[in-house]
Amino acid sequence: MSEGPSPNASDFIREMIRADVASKKHDGAVVTRFPPEPNGYLHIGHAKSICLNFGAAEENGGRCHLRFDDTNPSTEDIEYVESIQRDVRWLGFDWGEHLYYASDYYERLYMLGEKLIELGRAYVCDLTEDEFANDYRGTITEHGKDSPYRARSKDENLDLFRRMRAGEFADGAKVLRARIDMTSPNMKMRDPPLYRIKHAHHYRTGDAWCLYPLYDFAHCLSDSFEGITHSLCTMEFESARELYDWVVAATEVPHVPRQTEFARLNLSYTVMSKRKLLKLVKDGVVAGWDDPRMPTISGMRRRGYTPEAIRAFCKRIGVAKNLSTVDLALLEHTVRDDLNERAPRVLAVLRPLKVVVESWRDGEVDVLDAPYWPHDVPKEGTRPLPFTRELFIDRDDFAEEPPKGFKRLAPGREVRLRHAYVVRCTQVIKDAQGEIVELRCTHDASSRGGAPADGRKIDGTIQWVSATHATPLEVRLYDRLFTTESPGEGDRDFMEDLNPAALTSVSALGEASLANARHGEHYQLERTGFFVVDPDTTEGRIVLNRTVALKDAWARAQASSAGASPKVDAAARPKAQKTPAQAPRVVEELAPRARAWVDTHAIAEDDARTLAAHEALARVFDEALAASADARAVAGLLVNEILGELRSRDTDAPPFGGAEVAELVVLAGDGTLSRSQVKDVLGHMFAGEGAPRAIVEARGLRQIASEDALAPVVDRVLADNADAVARLRGGNANVLGALVGMVMKATGGKANAKVVRELVQARVAG
RNA sequence: UCCGGAGUGGUCCAACGGCAAGGAUGCGCGGCUUUGAACCGCGACGGUGGAGGUUCGAGUCCUUCCUCCGGAACCA
């Protein structure tokens, strides 16, 4: 199987982890976890997460835990625990000793609940769910207000919490809430519930508890208990991160894990939510979680997908934060790519049409030795393939009136029977209804093996089976479960988009060797598709599942020329309007402080607005003005350079003040420093190396602006890059930038880029 | 509407502020072929959501607008 484009997968998460390892964060340890809730079967979306968590850990010498996030007794079941373990293992990942259950932490978590109460960071609230939602939580745009129970004493809270555990209250009568901030813009922070009462039987803890922690409390603490360093989850948990951090800090647990979110996988023509998958199972639309039409791991396994193919797919799709829907065709390609080198080739006929080779003596059997593998798969092995007078070929491989370009069998025409003989159709026999029921052929005795002795070229090759040696097969042809790219798009019920033809079962005939097919084996039925032997197979009844069809250029061409159902070419679709309306720029009134800056210092309004919006920058700006610097230049530097730097360092205020910025502006203004040196110095200032002048002196920074000094460097670079110069002369203006960049690099950023640019232009023109 | 996130060929993912925005898939064409597969080659398809700004130079930094997604479960 060919490797993906990037053998060493890299994405923003792996980069972050590598950086953490390099900086010895957590002593360079990498511990991740895959935390499913045992309330459903794993699907291809989980596979993405599994590959990321186990993969990133392994690549960095770390480990990945399998943890069941089982904090909701009413939906969870041991069946799911077992299927999940089976699926993760099947995918090829190993958690070693590190199998955990949130339910094993119940006691520990409970104690932290008490601790939170003692620290005054949580309280027992008697509001019903509706009361809280309607009267206290507020809305997305309005603040909430404090629960009347928020001010309960520690003792009362503790007493109540213990009695909650003891089972004194009914479900929903009370919850334990975090005491955070009912006015937070993040709804998750408005005193979220941490514990709820649920008199329910838990599949692992039985009836030991009637008090169960909620995700936001249990998950982050479980991560902390296990020493998880990188807690990777999907984007919908993004606004929960603030609460995650709060709980970890508030409970004062020693280990602090870090949550990072990535986009979940969506696949075209499939649904992925557990709710929808469960409905398909419950409604009997599919035969179960492992139905080959399901995007579950177990369904794909039964369909014949391999772990290697799924892992290769996960590698190809990458990891990012974009909302994305991967084309199912990519998954299918990856599966074919994997199976191509894994599945031996055999012959089978799905829609049998009888063929009598009249020139073949009745009763004679020629056992051919047929290779299992095509010439480009480096594997060896053959099987005996009996050839007899009566055969079957596929109905699609014969046409009474062949269309243009048809390379298969037709009256009077020749075709090669794969691995066997070239035959010519001499007669077409029909029944009373005019239906073709049989073909009469003659064979070319010189063509045993497929090549006629006279060397004439035979265009078509088709599959066939001996009528007297055929193995009956039940072949299940699977197709995509939905007919539309986005099932249930808009207001439509996704069930309306179900593809009734997602499963077609046919009685087919396979070659003799297929009689020995064993459960789990992969085969390619030549010219048809990849198949796997289904577990329903019994002695004498071989069941084959179509994993994926082969690409079929002929069928595609026929379909599009027929125009009957022209496959909608994605490229032909009108481009989605990305910016529908050209909205006029609405300029808001400047804040008074910003207005004053604009009026008295003539700085740009946009800059003034930006500065006014960032307290730390505003302060630095005022300080710089006090140092009587060029206001416009200071504002520009703060807004365009320093602000971006602050963001990328994830800090609010720079480790230097206005005086230093003013000093830097002077150094830039008087020509001491080149522009790139200014950025360089800024970097050192952020690193806490002191004032600009000191940095400049210590490092001997001085820009080179004279043409005389720069000319030799420019000439050298131009001489070393004659090809680039040629391209520039050829009219590619972008190369100019690259050459300037090379000169800048050659001078260690000391050169004045403007002068360099002019020099390069002059040299190239001259 | 409030908070958060994201916008790069049809799709998915890349691109220390620097050479013609790269790869995969899909699509088309051709070669090869005892699978109309695979393999090989070629091609079309984007100027990076819009508008400003900073810079010698912007997909990348700043501003603003637009669009999409997530968040108001005693679910995870």
Side-chain angles (χ1 to χ4, degrees):
Chain A
M1 182 177 128
S2 62
E3 270 302 306
S6 53
N8 303 310
S10 190
D11 50 69
F12 77 100
I13 288 179
R14 280 177 235 254
E15 276 170 22
M16 171 191 71
I17 292 176
R18 270 199 291 275
D20 288 345
V21 170
S23 70
K24 291 279 180 270
K25 189 172 175 180
H26 301 294
D27 292 326
V30 175
V31 185
T32 59
R33 100 270 93 114
F34 174 62
E37 185 192 11
N39 67 348
Y41 277 59
L42 258 27
H43 54 63
I44 181 77
H46 293 110
K48 175 179 179 180
S49 175
I50 292 167
C51 290
L52 174 61
N53 276 294
F54 280 91
E58 189 182 352
E59 288 152 23
N60 291 284
R63 62 174 198 266
C64 180
H65 299 180
L66 175 63
R67 179 174 73 236
F68 290 97
D69 241 345
D70 52 358
T71 54
N72 187 355
S74 38
T75 57
E76 296 155 4
D77 196 278
I78 191 74
E79 175 197 356
Y80 300 121
V81 169
E82 286 163 0
S83 75
I84 289 168
Q85 294 194 46
R86 183 164 59 237
D87 289 347
V88 174
R89 225 178 259 126
W90 178 77
L91 274 175
F93 297 103
D94 182 11
W95 54 87
E97 320 252 282
H98 302 284
L99 174 65
Y100 303 99
Y101 295 83
S103 49
D104 284 343
Y105 303 139
Y106 282 173
E107 187 63 38
R108 223 170 147 185
L109 290 166
Y110 172 81
M111 293 314 292
L112 286 172
E114 287 203 356
K115 182 176 180 181
L116 241 28
I117 290 172
E118 276 160 9
L119 290 168
R121 293 169 184 160
Y123 62 96
V124 173
C125 179
D126 298 0
L127 257 18
T128 65
E129 191 176 356
D130 284 349
E131 282 169 341
F132 186 78
N134 298 334
D135 306 332
Y136 292 90
R137 189 173 47 209
T139 67
I140 235 159
T141 50
E142 294 160 31
H143 289 167
K145 63 181 183 200
D146 289 357
S147 158
Y149 304 99
R150 202 175 202 258
R152 284 220 251 239
S153 71
K154 280 177 203 173
D155 288 345
E156 188 186 358
N157 277 321
L158 214 44
D159 175 58
L160 255 16
F161 190 45
R162 286 173 180 160
R163 288 164 59 196
M164 283 164 71
R165 174 178 183 171
E168 291 188 24
F169 308 110
D171 288 6
K174 289 176 167 38
V175 292
L176 182 73
R177 287 187 186 287
R179 180 185 274 113
I180 309 181
D181 179 8
M182 290 305 293
T183 69
S184 172
N186 181 353
M187 301 286 297
K188 278 270 176 203
M189 299 297 277
R190 319 242 263 230
D191 287 11
L194 266 21
Y195 267 97
R196 83 289 215 184
I197 299 170
K198 239 181 165 120
H199 291 271
H201 187 84
H202 187 278
Y203 77 100
R204 288 190 82 240
T205 59
D207 299 313
W209 293 84
C210 62
L211 186 63
Y212 292 95
L214 282 140
Y215 169 86
D216 289 307
F217 187 69
H219 189 86
C220 55
L221 292 175
S222 301
D223 281 349
S224 177
F225 297 162
E226 294 175 20
I228 302 298
T229 56
H230 301 271
S231 181
L232 312 177
C233 63
T234 44
M235 296 298 290
E236 68 268 26
F237 292 99
E238 194 149 19
S239 38
R241 188 176 63 227
E242 193 179 354
L243 179 52
Y244 183 107
D245 292 340
W246 185 92
V247 172
V248 168
T251 51
E252 298 173 2
V253 287
H255 178 76
V256 179
R258 181 115 196 118
Q259 172 179 314
T260 306
E261 311 84 19
F262 62 93
R264 70 182 326 143
L265 170 67
N266 296 302
L267 256 190
S268 60
Y269 300 100
T270 101
V271 297
M272 213 74 97
S273 87
K274 278 188 192 170
R275 198 200 99 237
K276 291 177 180 170
L277 295 178
L278 183 62
K279 184 171 169 59
L280 293 172
V281 173
K282 284 256 162 80
D283 287 10
V285 171
V286 295
W289 286 99
D290 71 341
D291 187 294
R293 290 165 287 186
M294 293 283 274
T296 50
I297 304 295
S298 49
M300 291 180 163
R301 174 168 58 229
R302 190 159 178 188
R303 174 90 171 239
Y305 287 20
T306 63
E308 291 81 2
I310 293 173
R311 280 191 262 125
F313 171 72
C314 290
K315 196 183 227 173
R316 283 186 192 225
I317 59 174
V319 179
K321 298 180 88 147
N322 282 346
L323 173 78
S324 61
T325 303
V326 176
D327 194 341
L328 186 60
L330 181 59
L331 211 210
E332 293 179 340
H333 166 82
T334 314
V335 171
R336 284 190 200 102
D337 196 32
D338 179 60
L339 259 15
N340 184 42
E341 303 212 347
R342 186 189 291 279
R345 274 57 167 178
V346 292
L347 305 181
V349 170
L350 264 40
R351 289 156 295 265
L353 172 60
K354 190 175 180 187
V355 172
V356 177
V357 184
E358 296 188 302
S359 53
W360 194 269
R361 193 147 45 83
D362 199 14
E364 184 182 343
V365 180
D366 184 2
V367 180
L368 302 149
D369 190 37
Y372 269 126
W373 306 96
H375 59 88
D376 56 346
V377 172
K379 290 189 174 178
E380 288 178 14
T382 61
R383 80 286 185 184
L385 189 60
F387 185 88
T388 53
R389 178 178 158 92
E390 294 198 357
L391 314 168
F392 287 103
I393 66 167
D394 198 290
R395 296 195 102 85
D396 288 352
D397 289 333
F398 175 79
E400 198 170 14
E401 290 167 30
K404 193 166 178 290
F406 191 76
K407 301 202 296 195
R408 285 107 100 145
L409 196 60
R413 289 206 196 174
E414 278 188 320
V415 76
R416 171 164 42 234
L417 298 178
R418 176 72 159 159
H419 300 306
Y421 293 88
V422 172
V423 295
R424 181 185 304 276
C425 175
T426 53
Q427 193 188 348
V428 178
I429 299 174
K430 300 180 182 178
D431 63 13
Q433 285 75 42
E435 191 84 2
I436 299 172
V437 293
E438 185 182 316
L439 262 26
R440 295 288 168 137
C441 292
T442 56
H443 80 290
D444 176 347
S446 82
S447 66
R448 185 174 192 271
D454 64 5
R456 73 179 183 283
K457 198 163 156 28
I458 305 296
D459 252 355
T461 301
I462 63 175
Q463 72 273 25
W464 56 277
V465 297
S466 159
T468 43
H469 296 73
T471 305
L473 304 173
E474 176 181 339
V475 175
R476 297 174 182 169
L477 300 170
Y478 291 102
D479 203 344
R480 44 189 63 157
L481 224 202
F482 294 93
T483 53
T484 55
E485 266 181 61
S486 319
E489 196 174 28
D491 303 327
R492 218 166 350 114
D493 180 355
F494 77 101
M495 299 291 275
E496 289 174 26
D497 292 331
L498 279 166
N499 177 10
L503 168 58
T504 317
S505 193
V506 302
S507 294
L509 295 172
E511 64 170 67
S513 76
L514 243 15
N516 305 316
R518 305 266 275 271
H519 166 213
E521 286 176 344
H522 300 276
Y523 287 100
Q524 184 195 100
L525 304 189
E526 293 208 38
R527 304 208 313 132
T528 302
F530 289 102
F531 292 77
V532 70
V533 183
D534 189 83
D536 283 350
T537 295
T538 56
E539 199 67 37
R541 176 164 168 263
I542 309 283
V543 180
L544 251 35
N545 295 331
R546 181 169 69 192
T547 307
V548 62
L550 252 32
K551 287 180 71 174
D552 188 346
W554 169 251
R556 208 185 313 126
Q558 289 305 102
S560 65
S561 71
S565 60
K567 198 181 159 196
V568 182
D569 186 358
R573 276 188 313 221
K575 246 185 117 170
Q577 194 81 10
K578 282 177 175 168
T579 305
Q582 189 74 289
R585 183 169 174 184
V586 181
V587 181
E588 270 179 53
E589 199 59 27
L590 282 182
R593 177 154 68 159
R595 182 84 258 160
W597 283 331
V598 171
D599 291 345
T600 60
H601 302 290
I603 70 173
E605 290 200 4
D606 272 348
D607 287 352
R609 198 190 319 276
T610 308
L611 290 177
H614 295 84
E615 197 40 54
L617 288 187
R619 199 183 59 243
V620 172
F621 183 60
D622 278 332
E623 287 169 12
L625 289 181
S628 75
D630 173 348
R632 286 187 73 94
V634 171
L637 196 67
L638 284 169
V639 169
N640 292 309
E641 306 292 347
I642 295 177
L643 183 53
E645 198 61 30
L646 284 175
R647 284 190 183 144
S648 69
R649 285 164 194 269
D650 204 24
T651 50
D652 291 329
F656 47 79
E660 285 79 10
V661 174
E663 201 174 297
L664 183 58
V665 165
V666 169
L667 291 168
D670 70 8
T672 305
L673 298 178
S674 72
R675 187 74 201 181
S676 64
Q677 284 176 314
V678 169
K679 289 185 196 178
D680 195 22
V681 171
L682 212 42
H684 293 301
M685 288 165 67
F686 268 102
E689 293 180 26
R693 250 178 233 291
I695 293 169
V696 167
E697 291 313 318
R699 300 183 175 265
L701 299 176
R702 201 69 77 199
Q703 86 159 310
I704 308 171
S706 88
E707 292 194 10
D708 292 345
L710 256 17
V713 187
V714 170
D715 287 336
R716 197 173 64 238
V717 167
L718 293 187
D720 290 348
N721 295 281
D723 54 329
V725 173
R727 262 172 284 152
L728 180 53
R729 287 211 170 98
N732 180 3
N734 291 342
V735 184
L736 179 59
L739 289 169
V740 172
M742 288 182 225
V743 175
M744 294 304 292
K745 209 161 275 174
T747 62
K750 287 180 184 160
N752 178 302
K754 201 167 184 173
V755 175
V756 170
R757 189 184 191 85
E758 282 159 7
L759 275 172
V760 172
Q761 271 174 318
R763 291 290 197 279
V764 171

